[in-house]
Amino acid sequence: MSDFETVAATENPAARPGPTGEPGDARRGGTAARSLAGDAWRDLRRNPIFWISLALVVVVAAMAAVPALFTGSDPNDCVLSRQHAGPSGAAIFGYDFQGCDVYARAVYGARASLLVGALSALLTGVIAVVVGMLAGYFGGWVDSALSRVIDIVLGIPLLLAAIVLLKRVSSDSPGLRLAAVILVLAVLGWTTAARVVRSSVITAKGQDYVAAARMLGAGHGRIMWRHILPNALAPVLVVLTIALGSFIAAEATLSFLGIGLKAPTISWGIDIDAGRTHMRESATPLVVPSAFLALTVLAFIMLGDAIRDAFDPKLR
C-alpha cells in the first residue's frame, strides 16, 4: 500500500483497497452517491404537506375507482317523499330536493370529476411534450413558429373559450359530452406545460451525454426520446399534477354553468348547481359536494407544490 493509499484509508475506511487494489464500494461502508431524485425524496419524507395531500389524493382515487367502499347507498335511488330530509343512519348528510342521498352522490361524483381531470392532464402532457420537445430541440424557425402558437393559445381565456366551444356540442350523450369536455380542456390547457418542456429540453440538449450520443451516430428521434426526454420529464410532471386539480375545478365550473357534463352523469358541478337552487330549504346538498370539490382540488395543488419545491435546487 502506497503512502497515499495509507492516508486515504486512515481518513476514510471506505476507501481501503479491495482484493484487487481497487477502492472499496462506498455503498458498503461509506456514503452512497447522491442524486436529485434522492435528495427530493429525502425532503418529501420530512414534509407533512406532502403526506397530507398524498393521503387525500389516494382517498379520492379510491373513491372514484371503488365508490362502494365508502357508501352502500345508490346515488340514483331518489324518492320525493324524502325531499330535504335531515341526516340519519341511512344518509349521514340527509337528502336533496329529489330525495337522493347527498353523501352517496358526492362519493359517486368523484369518478366523473377525477376522470375528466386525469384524462385532460394526460392529453395535455402528450401535446406539451411533442410541441415543447420539437421547439426546444430544433430551435430556429421551428422554435419561433411553435412559440408563437403557444403564445396565441396562452392568450385565450380557458373558461371563456371552453364555454364557446362546448356550446357547439348539441348532443346530450354522457359519453360524448365527457369526451368533449376532456378534449376542450386539453386543447386549451397545454401551453404552460409545453413551455416547461421547451426550457428543460434547451438545457438538456447542451449536456455531454447528448453530444456523446450524437457522436456515436444516434439520430434526432433517438436523442430526443431516449436521452433528452427522460431527463426533462420531472418538471412537466409537477406542472401536470397542479394542472389536474385545475382541470377538475374547470369541469365543475362548466357543469355548474350547464354546458359541461349533464344528467344522468353524476358530477360535483351538477350537484352544486342543483343545491344552489334550493339552498334556502337545505344547505347540505350545496355544502357537501362543494367541500369534496375544494378538498380534491386543494390536495392536487398542494401535492404538486410539494413535489416542485423538492425538485427545485434553488430552494435547497
Side-chain angles (χ1 to χ4, degrees):
M1 181 182 295
S2 65
D3 294 340
F4 174 78
E5 292 175 333
T6 303
V7 173
T10 303
E11 294 182 354
N12 183 11
R16 291 172 182 167
T20 60
E22 296 294 331
D25 188 357
R27 289 175 292 184
R28 290 200 296 264
T31 303
R34 298 179 60 180
S35 64
L36 179 61
D39 291 342
W41 173 240
R42 192 176 299 109
D43 290 342
L44 288 174
R45 285 185 303 179
R46 296 193 295 263
N47 189 349
I49 294 179
F50 168 75
W51 291 111
I52 294 173
S53 59
L54 181 62
L56 289 174
V57 168
V58 170
V59 170
V60 173
M63 192 182 300
V66 192
L69 292 177
F70 297 86
T71 179
S73 301
D74 184 358
N76 294 314
D77 181 18
C78 304
V79 181
L80 287 177
S81 61
R82 301 181 306 202
Q83 182 183 94
H84 291 154
S88 62
I92 60 175
F93 292 117
Y95 298 90
D96 62 9
F97 177 75
Q98 297 291 335
C100 307
D101 187 341
V102 173
Y103 174 68
R105 288 190 64 86
V107 170
Y108 277 84
R111 174 172 296 176
S113 298
L114 201 63
L115 185 62
V116 169
L119 293 181
S120 298
L122 180 62
L123 185 55
T124 294
V126 173
I127 299 173
V129 166
V130 173
V131 175
M133 180 73 70
L134 294 176
Y137 182 80
F138 289 106
W141 69 268
V142 176
D143 185 19
S144 299
L146 293 178
S147 296
R148 298 297 76 77
V149 173
I150 293 174
D151 292 339
I152 292 172
V153 179
L154 189 62
I156 302 174
L158 188 146
L159 282 178
L160 181 59
I163 291 172
V164 173
L165 293 176
L166 289 175
K167 276 288 188 181
R168 308 299 300 174
V169 181
S170 58
S171 175
D172 288 335
S173 170
L176 181 60
R177 295 206 69 86
L178 181 69
V181 172
I182 293 171
L183 183 61
V184 167
L185 292 179
V187 168
L188 296 173
W190 57 272
T191 51
T192 301
R195 282 187 165 185
V196 172
V197 174
R198 174 182 174 274
S199 61
S200 300
V201 170
I202 290 174
T203 302
K205 73 176 183 178
Q207 301 299 319
D208 293 339
Y209 61 85
V210 175
R214 188 175 291 111
M215 291 178 63
L216 291 174
H220 294 309
R222 183 178 180 84
I223 292 175
M224 284 192 292
W225 307 114
R226 295 292 299 276
H227 298 281
I228 294 181
L229 181 59
N231 294 281
L233 205 56
V236 73
L237 291 179
V238 175
V239 174
L240 292 178
T241 303
I242 300 175
L244 198 155
S246 301
F247 288 145
I248 293 175
E251 177 275 320
T253 302
L254 294 171
S255 299
F256 174 82
L257 295 174
I259 57 175
L261 303 181
K262 293 185 177 182
T265 303
I266 302 175
S267 168
W268 290 331
I270 296 174
D271 287 353
I272 292 172
D273 181 41
R276 173 188 61 84
T277 307
H278 305 281
M279 186 174 60
R280 291 180 179 271
E281 291 83 0
S282 177
T284 307
L286 172 64
V287 173
V288 173
S290 299
F292 274 65
L293 173 64
L295 287 175
T296 301
V297 174
L298 183 62
F300 279 104
I301 292 178
M302 289 194 309
L303 180 63
D305 285 341
I307 298 175
R308 180 189 60 191
D309 294 343
F311 275 93
D312 191 351
K314 297 179 182 178
L315 300 178
R316 299 186 182 281

